[in-house]
């Protein structure tokens, strides 16, 4: 969900529109959860239930996204035996920290970065809702916990307000909250890089490879954006003042992997969501396909063909990260 326009008179409007995508994603996820697609007991504390039903193809699309990202994330935690850190870039109202705590899979530290306005909302919910704040207290040890309007710092979970286009500021804030460059590091970005110019996202990817000797990055976003369906997606977002500044890197699966290889990553792969969906645990896929009748099979296929998960690794510790796949 996150960072977009460069400086200029319209950049505030563009950033505001990008921040709005955070609400869209959270509302869609909450609806899919309430319809039984996957379990997330925490999302209800961040976002209200949708007023209108979401179409079955939207629910299945979010199911594929959530399960696909979680599959790779869990594989990284297994390879590192949780002796690692996770940095979620443009995290929005994501609830992964609580899921990992419940499943006993917490890394040494879990970081989130997003626009200060979104962070402030998330922290307000955490402060005012014990089911969110209690698990953070339970994992905290040592000095007193820092929780103000724009940041949280506890032993295992930190949230910082920063702009991903300002790498110096972001790095300073992460280091202040005990980010350890020597730890194996997983970076996650979902519909984030596409709102940055190709130069800005390349700088972020380069920063990651320069900073972390052992790392993996999981990126979920659009692909095949040059065909007619892709163009309609772009136009729909532009109507809402949402400019896909990085759409040029979303031309193909190849352009998605090349952006990693050209910024110092050792290995990279990209799958469209149709392939991801076909490689998810099929027993669960059969379960969710019974939840709702899907009239628009072609529309679901088009949606899945226009999103992808790409991932890249560099592995100075020889943990076998390049072998992680679906």
């Amino acid at each position: 969900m996150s960072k977009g326009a460069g400086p200029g008179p319209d950049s505030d409007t563009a950033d505001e529109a990008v921040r709005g995508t955070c609400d869209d994603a959270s509302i869609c996820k909450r609806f899919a959860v309430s319809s039984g697609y996957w379990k997330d007991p925490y999302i209800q504390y961040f976002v209200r239930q949708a007023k209108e039903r979401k179409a079955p193809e939207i629910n299945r699309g979010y199911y594929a996204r959530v399960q696909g990202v979680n599959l790779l994330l869990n594989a990284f935690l297994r390879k590192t035996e949780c002796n690692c850190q996770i940095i979620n870039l443009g995290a929005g109202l994501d609830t992964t920290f609580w899921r990992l705590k419940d499943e006993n899979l917490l890394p040494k530290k879990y970081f989130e970065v997003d626009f200060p306005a979104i962070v402030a909302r998330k922290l307000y919910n955490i402060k005012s809702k014990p089911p969110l704040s209690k698990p953070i207290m339970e994992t905290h040890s040592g000095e007193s916990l820092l929780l103000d309007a724009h940041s949280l710092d506890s032993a295992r979970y930190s949230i910082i307000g920063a702009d991903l286009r300002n790498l110096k500021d972001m790095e300073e804030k992460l280091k202040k909250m005990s980010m350890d460059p020597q730890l194996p590091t997983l970076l996650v970005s979902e519909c984030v890089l596409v709102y940055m110019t190709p130069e800005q996202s390349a700088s972020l990817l380069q920063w990651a490879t320069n900073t972390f000797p052992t790392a993996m990055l999981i990126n979920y976003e659009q692909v095949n954006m040059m065909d007619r369906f892709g163009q309609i997606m772009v136009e729909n977002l532009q109507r809402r003042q949402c400019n896909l500044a990085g759409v040029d890197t979303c031309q193909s699966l190849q352009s998605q992997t090349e952006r990693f290889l050209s910024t110092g990553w050792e290995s990279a792969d990209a799958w469209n969501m149709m392939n991801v969906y076909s490689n998810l645990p099929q027993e669960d896929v059969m379960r969710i396909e019974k939840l709702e009748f899907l009239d628009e099979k072609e529309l679901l296929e088009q949606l899945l063909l226009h999103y992808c998960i790409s991932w890249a690794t560099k592995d100075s510790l020889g943990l076998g990260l390049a072998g992680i796949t679906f």
Side-chain angles (χ1 to χ4, degrees), residues 31-66:
F31 186 82
V33 165
S34 70
S35 303
Y37 280 82
W38 70 92
K39 288 187 170 67
D40 182 347
Y42 300 100
I43 196 160
Q44 60 182 325
Y45 301 114
F46 286 115
V47 64
R48 66 188 186 282
Q49 182 60 286
K51 288 189 180 73
E52 66 290 322
R53 292 188 66 78
K54 301 291 173 189
E57 58 272 13
I58 301 290
N59 294 330
R60 287 196 198 178
Y62 271 95
Y63 170 83
R65 167 182 175 171
V66 168

Side-chain angles (χ1 to χ4, degrees), residues 150-171:
H150 290 290
S151 58
L152 159 74
D153 191 26
S154 70
R156 307 292 290 278
Y157 188 25
S158 287
I159 304 176
I160 66 169
D163 189 321
L164 300 180
R165 297 163 297 191
N166 184 344
L167 293 169
K168 194 169 169 295
D169 174 63
M170 178 179 80
E171 181 170 24

Side-chain angles (χ1 to χ4, degrees), residues 222-290:
Q222 292 87 340
V223 74
N224 296 326
M225 293 306 276
M226 298 304 138
D227 67 15
R228 186 70 200 114
F229 191 89
Q231 289 302 303
I232 291 167
M233 284 168 67
V234 172
E235 285 160 19
N236 285 342
L237 280 160
Q238 279 171 345
R239 242 178 253 126
R240 298 170 48 192
Q241 254 78 51
C242 227
N243 175 31
L244 297 182
V247 77
D248 286 353
T249 37
C250 301
Q251 289 183 29
S252 65
L253 294 173
Q254 191 184 347
S255 66
Q256 286 285 7
T257 51
E258 277 172 2
R259 74 188 319 181
F260 289 119
L261 298 173
S262 65
T263 49
W265 294 84
E266 291 165 5
S267 76
D269 207 346
W271 287 27
N272 68 47
M273 294 309 292
M274 194 77 185
N275 271 353
V276 173
Y277 190 76
S278 306
N279 281 274
L280 293 174
Q282 285 307 293
E283 203 179 314
D284 200 51
V285 170
M286 281 162 67
R287 176 190 68 79
I288 68 112
E289 286 184 346
K290 292 192 187 104

Side-chain angles (χ1 to χ4, degrees), residues 73-92:
L73 187 146
N74 285 12
F76 180 87
L77 289 168
R78 277 197 303 278
K79 288 272 188 203
T80 59
E81 297 177 348
C82 295
N83 183 30
C84 61
Q85 61 194 355
I86 295 177
I87 304 174
N88 192 326
L89 303 165

Side-chain angles (χ1 to χ4, degrees), residues 118-139:
I118 287 174
V119 165
R121 256 183 69 192
K122 189 165 198 173
L123 294 174
Y124 175 80
N125 284 314
I126 289 171
K127 276 191 273 203
S128 57
K129 291 166 185 171
L132 297 175
S133 54
K134 230 174 109 222
I136 298 170
M137 306 300 278
E138 285 165 6
T139 58

Side-chain angles (χ1 to χ4, degrees), residues 8-24:
D10 297 329
S11 65
D12 285 349
T13 314
D15 285 356
E16 193 52 53
V18 173
R19 287 194 280 271
T21 64
C22 163
D23 287 345
D24 295 348

